[in-house]
Amino acid sequence: MSTVIAPPEPITTRPDHAPEGERTAYRLDLLDRLESEAIHILREVAGQFERPALLFSGGKDSVVMLELAVRAFYPAPPPSTLLHVDTGHNFPEVLAFRDETVQRLGARLVVASVQDYLDDGRLRERPDGTRNPLQTVPLLDAIAAGRFDAVLGGGRRDEEKARAKERIFSIRDAFGAWDPRRQRPELWDLYNGRHAPGEHVRVFPLSNWTELDVWRYIERERIALPELYYAHEREVFERDGMLVAVGPWSQPRRGEAVEVRRVRYRTVGDMSCTAAVPSDAGDAAAVIREVAGSRLTERGATRADDRLSEAAMEDRKKEGYF
Amino acid sequence: MDHDLLRLATAGSVDDGKSTLVGRLLHDTKSVLADQLAAVERASRDRGLDSADLALLTDGLRAEREQGITIDVAYRYFSTTRRSFVLADTPGHVEYTRNMVTGASTADLALILVDARHGIVEQTRRHLAVTGLLGVRHVALAVNKMDLVGWDELTFAGIRDEFQRLATGFGVQEVTAIPLSALTGDNVVDRSAHTPWYAGPTLLEHLETVPVGTDVTTEPVRLPVQVVIRPRTATHPDYRGYAGRLASGVLRVGDPVVVLPSGHRTSVVGIEVPVPGGLPADVEAAFAPQSVTVRLADDLDIARGDLIAGASRLPHVRTDLEATVAVLSPEPLRSGQRVVVRVGTAAVRGVVTDIVDELDLAGLEHRPAGTTLPLNAIGRIRVRLAASVPVDDYRAARHTGGFLLIDEADGATLAAGMVSLDSTTEGDSGWLAS
Ligand SMILES: Nc1nc2c(ncn2[C@@H]2O[C@H](COP(=O)(O)OP(=O)(O)OP(=O)(O)O)[C@@H](O)[C@H]2O)c(=O)[nH]1
C-alpha cells in the first residue's frame, strides 16, 4: 500500500552518486539520443492530442517512424491511425510492403487516393504528369474527414533548406497552410501543441535525423524495408542526369535509350518523379557506405520535383504539402 | 559506438560573418554536397559575385533571400568521424533575443562571433547575458576577420580578456577563444599559418573535443510522466507503465520515489528502455535523457503532468512562482495576463501577478519595469497558479526549472521562463502545499 502525503524526508544534500567508473557508462551515443528524442516526441503527441494520425507510405523514413512508435508505446499498440496519400503512381512493391506492415501490426490504415480525385474531376492532371503536388488536397480532406488533430510525418530538417526552419510541432491553419511567421519558438523539450478547432499540428519526430542516421538505425535495428531500397536490376533511361525507371507513367522520349542497370532508390515517392541511382548496395551496411561517400543530397539526386525552382519546397509547404 | 552528438547555437551581430562561418564549417567538413554547392554557385553568379558566397548556403526561405536577411532559427547538420553536430543558426539582428534564447535552450555550447576590427560590442554583451541566463555550459568565442587586422596577436588577446571578464560576470563557466577568418578558413577546420602565436585548438577541433552533456550521477532524479501505458490485452491484462523521458539523474530499480504533486511514496519495480535490435526490455538503471517506461510497486492514480522524483532529493511544490522570463511573442507580456504554464509535462492555468523588473542587457542591471514586458525583453515576474506544480531552480535542473508561458486564449507561446527559488535547498516546506 502506498503512503499518502508522507512527511518530507530530511533534506539531504548528498548527491545520488554512482559507484566510481559508472560515470562514463551514462553516455548516450548519437543513435540512442535521436531515438530517445523521437520517442519523447511521439509520446508528447499521444499525451496532447485526441486523434493522431501517422503518415505511412512504406518509405524508409515513415517505416523508421512507425518502428519508433511501436517502441514508444510497447507493450500497447501505437495510438495513431495510419494515413497514406496514394498518388496512383506508387511502386507496387512499396504498396505491398505497406499493406503487409499494416497487417502485421494490426493497425488501421486510411488511404486517400489522388486517382479518385482525378477520376471525378476534383483534381486535374498536371501538364508535366507529376502527381506529388496533387497530394495536398486529398491529404487535407483526409485530415478533415478523420478529424485528425495531429499528423505525424517523417520529414527531416537536413532534407532541404526550407525544412531547416521547420518546427518539430508545426501548426497549420484550417486550410493546412504553413505560415513561417506563425510558428512557435520551441525551447528545451517543451512542445506546445495547442490549437484551435479545425486547425491541426504536423509533427516531425525525425527532425534532427540525417539520411545517414536513418540508415544506421535501420541497420542497427534490423528494420525491414521495401526491396527497391537495395540494389536490383531495372530497366531505366537517363533524363536530366537522373535514372528513371521505365513504367506506365514514365516512358522514354525520343533519344532516351533504355538499358538494364543495377540501381537502388534513395527515396520512394511517386514513380513519375522519383529516380534511381546506380548502386551495388545489397544491404543496409553497403547503403551506409554509399550514402557516406555520395556527393549529392538524396533530393538532389532523385527528386525532379525539387529541381523546379530554388523555392519549390517552400511554396508547396505553404500550400499544405508535407 | 563512440560517436556522439553536440548541439550548438551561434550568435553574432549583423555582418560579423556568422553565415560565412557556418557555411565554412559545413563546407570544410564536406557536409555540403555537389548539388547544394552548385545551387550556391549559381545564386552567387546571379548576384554578380565571382566566387561562391558560402553565406548563401544557410540562407533558408525565399523571403530572406529577397531581403538578404535571416529571420529565424534554422538547424544545420554536419558530422566528422568523431561527432555529429546540430547547429542552431540564430540570426543576429531584430529578433535576436527571442531566437537566441530558443537556440540556447537546447545547446551544449554557444558559439559567439566578434568582428576583430570592432571588438566587444553591445550585442556581444547581450549574447553573453542570454548564454549565462540559459545556463549554456560552454562558450566558444570566434574572433573573426583576423585577416583584416593583420593577424595581430594583441588585438586578439585584448578581445579575449575583455570577453572572459564579462563572461565571468554573467555566470558563464568555460570560455575558449579562437582567432580565425571565416572567409579564408584559417583556424576554422585547418590550422592557420598566420597565427604561430596561437597554441589552442581550431574551431572544429574544439567542437569535436568539448565534453557533451552533464554528469547525471550528481543530478536529482526527475521523470515527468508523458503518458500511462495500459495495454489491457490478454497477454498484458494488468500492465501499467509510466512513460517519460528522464529530465535528470540516474534511476535504478528498487529506488524509492515520490509522485508529485500528490506526494505518494512508492518504489520502482521495473524500468524498460528500447535496447538495440528490438523492443523495449527491462534494465537495472536508466539515465537522462533516456526515454523510459517505469513500473511502480503501488497502484497509484498517476497521470500525464505528474512528476516522479527520486525520494532523496525532492523538488519544490509551488503555487507561486518567481521567474526570469524572455518574451517571445509580438504582443507584450502584461501584468494580470491569464496564461497556461507548461513545466515538464504539466500544464496549469495561472495569472501573471507582477512584473518585477526588466534586465537592461546592455548595462547589465535590473531596472524597474512598467506593467508590461515587450518582445525580446528579459525580466523577472511572479505567477500565481491554479494548482500546485513541482519545480526546481533552473540553475540546478534545466528541464524541471524551465517553463513556457502560453496564451490561454489562442495557444501561442508567449515567453520562456526560468524558475528562481529563493533558497536552493531541495524539498522545502512548499512540499506540503496542496
Ligand atoms: N575579410 C573577411 N571578411 C569576412 C570574414 N567573414 C565574413 N566576412 C565578410 O563579412 C560580410 C558579412 O558576412 P555574413 O556572413 O553575411 O554576415 P552575418 O553576420 O552572417 O550576417 P547576417 O546573417 O545577415 O546576420 C560578408 O561580406 C563576408 O564576406 C572574414 O573572416 N574576413
Side-chain angles (χ1 to χ4, degrees):
Chain A
M1 223 203 69
S2 67
T3 331
V4 182
I5 311 291
E9 289 270 286
I11 295 163
T12 159
T13 47
R14 183 184 57 83
D16 311 307
H17 266 306
E20 275 310 315
E22 247 186 60
R23 243 167 258 196
T24 48
Y26 298 130
R27 286 267 171 262
L28 286 184
D29 78 14
L30 171 67
L31 290 184
D32 290 331
R33 198 160 154 185
L34 292 172
E35 177 187 62
S36 165
E37 178 184 73
I39 289 175
H40 175 255
I41 294 163
L42 288 159
R43 288 169 170 174
E44 277 307 284
V45 170
Q48 291 191 42
F49 297 90
E50 305 278 318
R51 298 175 64 85
L54 183 149
L55 282 183
F56 183 68
S57 62
K60 70 176 189 313
D61 298 319
S62 72
V63 171
V64 165
M65 178 167 62
L66 182 57
E67 283 292 335
L68 286 160
V70 169
R71 285 157 174 68
F73 301 100
Y74 181 83
S80 308
T81 300
L82 305 186
L83 177 60
H84 182 219
V85 184
D86 184 346
T87 60
H89 286 174
N90 286 293
F91 293 91
E93 52 269 61
V94 177
L95 292 183
F97 179 91
R98 177 197 73 186
D99 294 338
E100 281 161 32
T101 308
V102 168
Q103 247 197 338
R104 174 170 58 83
L105 297 176
R108 194 172 85 89
L109 172 73
V110 173
V111 177
S113 159
V114 172
Q115 192 61 52
D116 289 352
Y117 281 71
L118 291 167
D119 291 346
D120 64 19
R122 279 175 291 172
L123 282 176
R124 273 208 312 222
E125 201 85 71
R126 289 160 49 95
D128 63 7
T130 64
R131 286 189 175 178
N132 264 1
L134 301 183
Q135 294 180 75
T136 303
V137 173
L139 171 66
L140 294 177
D141 287 352
I143 291 171
R147 289 179 291 116
F148 298 122
D149 50 2
V151 182
L152 288 151
R156 309 187 319 264
R157 287 178 181 146
D158 82 321
E159 280 179 77
E160 210 276 337
K161 275 206 268 186
R163 288 215 204 260
K165 306 205 165 180
E166 183 60 280
R167 299 300 194 279
I168 289 174
F169 273 40
S170 172
I171 186 139
R172 304 301 169 105
D173 65 17
F175 305 98
W178 177 72
D179 176 355
R181 292 181 191 264
R182 235 194 105 203
Q183 300 305 314
R184 296 167 179 163
E186 284 180 342
L187 292 103
W188 300 291
D189 53 7
L190 298 177
Y191 304 107
N192 174 3
R194 282 172 188 257
H195 57 281
E199 295 185 334
H200 70 277
V201 178
R202 305 259 174 112
V203 181
F204 303 99
L206 305 185
S207 286
N208 286 323
W209 298 51
T210 65
E211 184 186 13
L212 261 179
D213 298 330
V214 169
W215 275 107
R216 289 192 180 119
Y217 193 72
I218 287 165
E219 184 196 29
R220 189 180 89 170
E221 303 294 312
R222 289 182 228 108
I223 294 171
L225 290 184
E227 281 301 313
L228 44 64
Y229 277 110
Y230 302 106
H232 58 282
E233 313 252 292
R234 195 177 278 260
E235 276 200 320
V236 293
F237 56 90
E238 214 175 304
R239 178 175 295 165
D240 301 332
M242 296 190 280
L243 294 180
V244 181
V246 179
W249 306 284
S250 46
Q251 287 295 322
R253 301 192 191 116
R254 196 193 303 266
E256 292 174 335
V258 173
E259 51 182 338
V260 175
R261 299 266 302 260
R262 240 182 123 61
V263 297
R264 67 172 203 90
Y265 285 84
R266 281 175 82 175
T267 67
V268 298
D270 186 295
M271 279 181 82
S272 62
C273 67
T274 306
V277 292
S279 171
D280 278 319
D283 58 18
V287 170
I288 290 167
R289 284 193 298 275
E290 261 185 31
V291 171
S294 169
R295 297 305 306 141
L296 292 177
T297 63
E298 68 182 20
R299 287 190 166 266
T302 63
R303 296 295 277 270
D305 48 339
D306 286 334
R307 291 194 171 181
L308 298 176
S309 87
E310 230 196 309
M313 173 68 91
E314 184 181 341
D315 290 342
R316 277 183 288 140
K317 271 170 66 94
K318 283 189 179 149
E319 289 158 13
Y321 182 79
F322 236 77
Chain B
M1 189 168 77
D2 247 3
H3 202 83
D4 60 7
L5 180 71
L6 180 86
R7 298 190 63 135
L8 65 150
T10 61
S13 340
V14 181
D15 282 344
D16 281 350
K18 192 170 52 59
S19 298
T20 310
L21 181 61
V22 172
R24 170 62 64 188
L25 269 174
L26 298 178
H27 181 265
D28 287 6
T29 54
K30 315 257 184 304
S31 310
V32 184
L33 300 176
D35 52 324
Q36 294 170 311
L37 202 57
V40 166
E41 278 162 1
R42 249 196 332 272
S44 303
R45 263 199 314 277
D46 292 348
R47 296 176 180 201
L49 305 172
D50 36 343
S51 65
D53 181 356
L54 291 181
L56 293 178
L57 271 174
T58 61
D59 262 4
L61 304 173
R62 178 163 56 190
E64 296 170 301
R65 282 195 298 275
E66 280 163 2
Q67 294 163 38
I69 53 154
T70 38
I71 49 177
D72 206 333
V73 184
Y75 295 87
R76 321 280 170 201
Y77 301 82
F78 62 101
S79 61
T80 66
T81 52
R82 288 199 197 169
R83 236 177 213 175
S84 290
F85 300 92
V86 178
L87 183 151
D89 193 4
T90 62
H93 42 91
V94 226
E95 296 188 336
Y96 51 86
T97 306
R98 165 195 156 116
N99 292 326
M100 202 190 155
V101 167
T102 303
S105 73
T106 53
D108 303 301
L109 177 144
L111 172 58
I112 300 180
L113 267 84
V114 165
D115 185 325
R117 293 170 303 174
H118 308 141
I120 312 272
V121 295
E122 188 187 317
Q123 284 279 60
T124 318
R125 295 164 176 272
R126 292 174 192 273
H127 296 145
L128 260 175
V130 170
T131 306
L133 196 66
L134 272 285
V136 182
R137 222 152 279 274
H138 307 278
V139 172
L141 168 67
V143 181
N144 189 31
K145 307 198 185 182
M146 283 298 293
D147 54 313
L148 297 182
V149 295
W151 300 99
D152 180 48
E153 180 180 4
L154 285 182
T155 305
F156 170 73
I159 295 171
R160 179 196 60 202
D161 295 346
E162 187 185 347
F163 188 87
Q164 179 68 65
R165 238 186 343 268
L166 276 173
T168 311
F170 285 108
V172 171
Q173 309 289 329
E174 198 263 355
V175 174
T176 300
I178 304 166
L180 52 83
S181 168
L183 193 67
T184 62
D186 286 74
N187 283 342
V188 178
V189 170
D190 299 315
R191 187 157 291 280
S192 171
H194 298 109
T195 52
W197 43 265
Y198 173 71
T202 66
L203 177 59
L204 187 68
E205 281 166 6
H206 180 58
L207 297 180
E208 282 186 311
T209 51
V210 68
V212 187
T214 55
D215 181 1
V216 288
T217 64
T218 63
E219 298 169 352
V221 178
R222 302 285 184 262
L223 176 64
V225 175
Q226 294 185 273
V227 284
V228 181
I229 296 178
R230 295 208 62 185
R232 294 193 185 91
T233 53
T235 38
H236 296 95
D238 301 318
Y239 180 98
R240 192 197 279 253
Y242 304 101
R245 192 181 197 195
L246 273 164
S248 59
V250 182
L251 183 67
R252 291 189 184 76
V253 174
D255 275 358
V257 291
V258 176
V259 181
L260 296 163
S262 70
H264 293 85
R265 297 175 59 84
T266 180
S267 63
V268 175
V269 295
I271 303 173
E272 293 158 62
V273 299
V275 290
L279 292 168
D282 273 48
V283 290
E284 276 307 302
F287 55 96
Q290 277 185 303
S291 283
V292 301
T293 307
V294 168
R295 304 189 307 279
L296 300 176
D298 302 284
D299 257 346
L300 301 174
D301 182 17
I302 300 176
R304 175 178 171 83
D306 288 339
L307 177 73
I308 296 173
S312 63
R313 296 165 74 192
L314 294 173
H316 297 245
V317 179
R318 289 291 175 91
T319 46
D320 287 281
L321 296 180
E322 181 161 328
T324 303
V325 294
V327 180
L328 308 170
S329 67
E331 301 296 318
L333 189 68
R334 290 177 287 106
S335 162
Q337 188 157 3
R338 300 194 156 279
V339 291
V340 172
V341 173
R342 172 75 200 278
V343 53
T345 51
V348 179
R349 289 177 27 209
V351 59
V352 177
T353 51
D354 289 289
I355 294 191
V356 180
D357 58 23
E358 184 174 346
L359 178 67
D360 176 355
L361 286 174
L364 233 193
E365 57 202 25
H366 293 273
R367 59 163 184 258
T371 53
T372 63
L373 278 179
L375 173 64
N376 290 315
I378 289 176
R380 283 189 296 192
I381 64 162
R382 290 198 193 92
V383 185
R384 163 145 300 167
L385 301 173
S388 58
V389 289
V391 290
D392 287 292
D393 189 88
Y394 181 80
R395 285 158 298 176
R398 219 178 187 186
H399 287 286
T400 39
F403 64 89
L404 301 181
L405 287 184
I406 295 169
D407 188 327
E408 199 187 8
D410 71 1
T413 299
L414 301 173
M418 287 143 282
V419 173
S420 33
L421 294 173
D422 19 45
S423 72
T424 49
T425 54
E426 287 148 2
D428 73 348
S429 56
W431 160 249
L432 285 173
S434 53

